[in-house]
Amino acid sequence: MNNLVKSELFKLRKDRSFWTLVIGLVLVATLYPFLIFYDDSTADVSVKELFAYTALGGNNYIVKLVPCILAGFFISSEYSNGTMKIMGSSGNSRIRIYFSKLLVFTLGAVIISLVFPIVLTGVGAIFAGFNDMPGLGYMVRASGLTVLYAAAFASIMALVSIIFTDSGKTIGFLILFFILFDSIFYALSQKFSFIELTFNNSAFKLFMDIGKFNLSNSELFKLAIVPILTYIALAIVGSLVFHKKEIK
């Protein structure tokens, strides 16, 4: 398992799509504050609001959509270039192969999920003269929850990646899924009470609450445990699907 994980880490370090996404996000997060400070004086900009609303708000889309591209190139493309077949015949169990890929892909998705809020807030804080900085505890909590939800969504992306086995189909399906699923899920929740209960306790709904300033202990526990359980459940499903999948 250790050798498999090291192999996947090496591939992630060499993955051009991963670094292209990271560098692109760094550039956007660095330039975005210029648009804000172009309209507002630095004295009027609150770093606390910049982090809570602009950084985390913009990150809602990044966490769900950008890793979809990485999933297509990092996992699905290995079917077409023959890497997956070589790994399947290497003597390692399918379960270990899948979990090593999932763990490293999750790491990539987590890094992607943190780039925009950290860089944007850091650059914005410098421009704003560190005006009205958010508390360290709040930033750590919000960043930690971002990591958990990025992992939960990554487990969905990894599952889809091994089903489609084609990078184009994987990326297209995942982007459509994450754009439309929330709206469809929400619309159905307004019609059926049992779906409403599921939606309100799903990672898709709770992800929107990670930037809240005041959370009770029960709310924080719920926000933390749901993505963890989602990740575990989908990781098990993904490993079972991969175990039975024919690799050509």
Side-chain angles (χ1 to χ4, degrees), residues 37-237:
F37 293 108
Y38 181 78
D39 293 327
D40 302 318
S41 68
T42 56
D44 295 331
V45 175
S46 162
V47 180
K48 185 178 181 179
E49 293 181 354
L50 188 68
F51 175 74
Y53 302 125
T54 306
L56 293 182
N59 213 35
N60 288 340
Y61 299 99
I62 292 170
V63 171
K64 292 179 181 177
L65 300 181
V66 176
C68 297
I69 301 171
L70 179 63
F73 288 108
F74 186 68
I75 300 177
S76 295
S77 64
E78 291 197 338
Y79 284 95
S80 57
N81 61 27
T83 304
M84 198 69 82
K85 187 175 183 178
I86 294 173
M87 293 187 69
S89 59
S90 64
N92 291 295
S93 73
R94 293 276 189 98
I95 302 294
R96 289 184 175 182
I97 293 173
Y98 181 78
F99 276 103
S100 64
K101 286 190 175 299
L102 175 62
L103 287 174
V104 176
F105 171 67
T106 301
L107 174 64
V110 164
I111 293 172
I112 288 172
S113 74
L114 293 176
V115 168
F116 185 76
I118 290 176
V119 175
L120 187 145
T121 305
V123 174
I126 294 172
F127 274 100
F130 301 95
N131 174 45
D132 191 24
M133 289 291 290
L136 180 61
Y138 169 73
M139 293 188 70
V140 170
R141 187 194 75 194
S143 299
L145 290 173
T146 298
V147 168
L148 293 180
Y149 282 85
F153 296 139
S155 65
I156 299 174
M157 297 170 194
L159 173 60
V160 172
S161 298
I162 61 164
I163 292 175
F164 279 96
T165 71
D166 178 88
S167 57
K169 292 177 183 176
T170 297
I171 294 169
F173 177 85
L174 282 173
I175 289 177
L176 284 176
F177 174 81
F178 280 104
I179 288 176
L180 298 176
F181 189 73
D182 278 10
S183 301
I184 296 173
F185 204 4
Y186 174 75
L188 290 174
S189 73
Q190 302 304 301
K191 302 288 185 182
F192 306 99
S193 58
F194 72 97
I195 295 181
E196 181 181 16
L197 179 64
T198 305
F199 176 70
N200 289 335
N201 292 282
S202 70
F204 293 92
K205 169 67 166 55
L206 295 174
F207 178 55
M208 305 303 293
D209 297 334
I210 65 175
K212 286 185 175 178
F213 290 109
N214 299 310
L215 291 171
S216 65
N217 289 334
S218 61
E219 288 176 318
L220 183 58
F221 176 76
K222 185 177 176 181
L223 281 175
I225 196 66
V226 167
I228 292 173
L229 294 177
T230 301
Y231 185 81
I232 293 172
L234 287 168
I236 293 172
V237 172

